[in-house]
Amino acid sequence: MDATLFYVLVGAVVVAAIARWRGWPAPLLVTVVALAASFLPFMPEMAIDGHVLLNLVLPPLLYSAALDVSFVGFKRSLPQIRRLGSGWY
């Protein structure tokens, strides 16, 4: 594994831990920090394969978001989820 990718993953875990400690949504904060870091001039250009993102980055983000979901909130949102899933708007 490339060292730069390792640093990106470690950074995402650290930012997610800080977000959870502060009570903020971790996936949103990781995305905001990554977007802000991409505009820094000293950051190296990175091209990450889509399979790496789908297999290594997305599952921890979805898991951390799933920990905050309540059954009542999910049940309340079920009509919108069904509508978006079936394509009927």
Side-chain angles (χ1 to χ4, degrees), residues 31-59:
T31 304
V32 168
V33 169
L35 184 64
S38 70
F39 287 109
L40 296 175
F42 55 85
M43 292 299 284
E45 290 280 330
M46 287 185 59
I48 299 176
D49 185 27
H51 293 286
V52 172
L53 288 175
L54 287 175
N55 293 326
L56 292 178
V57 178
L58 191 60

Side-chain angles (χ1 to χ4, degrees), residues 21 28 47 80 84:
W21 174 65
L28 181 63
Q80 290 86 359
L84 289 171

Side-chain angles (χ1 to χ4, degrees), residues 1-15 30 34 43-44 46 48 53 57:
M1 182 179 345
D2 189 28
T4 308
L5 182 60
F6 176 74
Y7 293 134
V8 168
L9 290 175
V10 169
V13 168
V14 168
V15 170
V30 169
M43 292 299 284
M46 287 185 59
I48 299 176
L53 288 175
V57 178

